[in-house]
């Protein structure tokens, strides 16, 4: 994970990492202590690791931050501070941005690969062509150009975008209409909390190995996401906002990123068309 710091720095993001095995984890203040006291032991360690990761991410962009209480399940940052937190397999990561109020912020760490069967919980029929059907080794690092996407990669891209579109990192109070309202942001403003399904978002390829994730109910609400392979898992993070939908034909790069799935689609039909709508609740932060 540490090797990703330069990549995130190029996008104006700071990276923070913490583990549940760090000795002597302590809350940074009474609000964190009160929240942690109500949690089971394992969840308490994850919660405190996430707060440490967030403070480290903020320090990486030159910002100090004390305790980070929560409203419901969402972190509440002081004015001028914002970060996105994710946990997986005992590791907590966070990304933070130094400047640019209102800019989207979101990340997701998935160190346990998802089975192919999980695709119906994440994708709709019009996204199935992005999946990679080939049986190839999963290598850490950048995705191979022209390859399809794994379910884990698409899940991570949508989960990172979900947080950004909901405003959970910025507290701007401008969450998408399919996301219910709950929580409080850095300026005391109400903001959206996800209550729908990842299938309410649509993911598609973009240039430079990135993908674009749009809100189906409002396609103008979109973010660009990079997904990087980390060991046998992935790390997805929002790079920034994406322009609104265009009527231009897809570029050759976008066609390459879609991979062979688009050509296979007509032959195999839509396997996801009959999938039942299933919510994938966001993890507690």
């Amino acid at each position: 994970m540490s090797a990703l710091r330069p990549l995130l720095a190029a996008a104006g993001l700071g990276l923070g990492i913490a583990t549940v095995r760090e000795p002597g984890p302590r809350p940074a203040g009474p609000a964190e202590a009160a929240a942690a006291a109500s949690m089971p032991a394992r969840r308490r360690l994850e919660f405190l690791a996430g707060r440490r990761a967030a403070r480290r991410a903020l320090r990486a962009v030159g910002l100090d931050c004390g305790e980070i209480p929560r409203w419901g399940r969402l972190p509440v940052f002081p004015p001028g501070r914002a970060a996105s937190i994710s946990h997986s397999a005992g590791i907590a990561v966070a990304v933070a941005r130094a400047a640019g109020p209102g800019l989207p912020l979101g990340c997701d760490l998935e160190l346990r690969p998802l089975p192919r069967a999980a695709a119906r919980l994440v994708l709709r029929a019009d996204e199935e062509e992005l999946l990679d059907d080939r049986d190839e080794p999963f290598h850490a690092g950048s995705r191979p150009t022209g390859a399809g996407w794994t379910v884990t990669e698409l899940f991570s891209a949508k989960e990172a975008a979900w947080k950004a579109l909901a405003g959970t990192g910025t507290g701007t109070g401008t969450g998408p209409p399919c996301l219910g309202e709950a929580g409080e942001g850095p300026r005391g403003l109400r903001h959206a909390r996800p209550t729908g399904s990842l299938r309410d978002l649509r993911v598609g390829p973009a240039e430079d190995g990135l993908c674009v994730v749009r809100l189906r109910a409002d396609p103008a609400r979109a973010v660009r996401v990079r997904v990087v392979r980390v060991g046998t898992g992935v790390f997805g993070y929002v790079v920034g906002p994406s322009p609104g939908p265009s009527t231009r034909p897809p570029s050759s790069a976008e066609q390459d990123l879609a991979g062979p799935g688009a050509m296979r689609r007509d032959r195999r039909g839509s396997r996801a068309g009959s999938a039942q709508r299933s919510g994938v609740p966001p993890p507690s932060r």
Side-chain angles (χ1 to χ4, degrees), residues 69-283:
R70 62 178 190 162
W71 180 282
R73 296 193 303 169
L74 300 178
V76 180
F77 294 92
R81 275 77 171 158
S84 178
I85 305 169
S86 183
H87 313 90
S88 183
I91 296 176
V93 298
V95 296
R97 195 186 299 276
L103 288 176
L105 193 62
C107 73
D108 180 68
L109 179 66
E110 302 293 335
L111 295 179
R112 299 184 179 95
L114 298 172
R116 179 59 181 265
R120 67 183 182 85
L121 304 178
V122 182
L123 307 176
R124 292 195 185 186
D126 56 2
E127 300 167 300
E128 195 182 31
E129 66 185 26
L130 298 173
L131 283 172
D132 190 348
D133 281 340
R134 295 173 297 175
D135 294 325
E136 61 176 356
F138 192 97
H139 299 293
S142 300
R143 302 183 61 258
T145 301
W149 302 73
T150 67
V151 175
T152 311
E153 288 174 314
L154 294 174
F155 177 92
S156 187
K158 284 195 172 189
E159 183 73 11
W162 184 283
K163 298 173 186 176
L165 292 170
T168 57
T170 61
T172 57
T174 56
C178 75
L179 307 180
E181 185 180 77
E184 189 170 68
R187 297 175 183 81
L189 300 176
R190 301 287 293 178
H191 66 68
R193 170 180 170 184
T195 59
S197 161
L198 292 183
R199 297 175 75 235
D200 293 325
L201 303 176
R202 181 175 181 178
V203 62
E207 298 85 353
D208 304 322
L210 277 67
C211 61
V212 173
V213 183
R214 302 186 185 279
L215 179 65
R216 288 182 180 273
D218 183 4
R221 299 291 304 281
V223 291
R224 292 165 61 84
V225 182
R226 184 182 297 279
V227 180
V228 181
R229 294 184 174 186
V230 181
T232 58
V234 301
F235 177 63
Y237 63 96
V238 173
V239 175
S242 177
S246 170
T247 56
R248 66 168 176 80
S251 68
S252 58
E254 290 172 326
Q255 291 174 342
D256 287 343
L257 283 169
M263 292 183 290
R264 291 193 301 267
R265 183 176 175 80
D266 289 339
R267 295 199 301 268
R268 73 187 181 192
S270 171
R271 292 193 300 249
S274 60
Q276 296 295 319
R277 178 184 176 87
S278 257
V280 181

Side-chain angles (χ1 to χ4, degrees), residues 22-101:
E22 293 180 23
R26 287 187 173 84
E32 281 189 15
S38 66
M39 300 174 181
R42 180 175 177 179
R43 171 65 187 129
R44 185 184 310 123
L45 292 174
E46 290 179 341
F47 170 80
L48 295 175
R51 266 42 183 184
R52 291 195 302 275
R55 282 187 281 272
R56 291 167 185 174
L58 286 163
R59 282 199 295 270
V61 293
L63 298 172
D64 291 326
C65 186
E67 71 169 340
I68 305 170
R70 62 178 190 162
W71 180 282
R73 296 193 303 169
L74 300 178
V76 180
F77 294 92
R81 275 77 171 158
S84 178
I85 305 169
S86 183
H87 313 90
S88 183
I91 296 176
V93 298
V95 296
R97 195 186 299 276

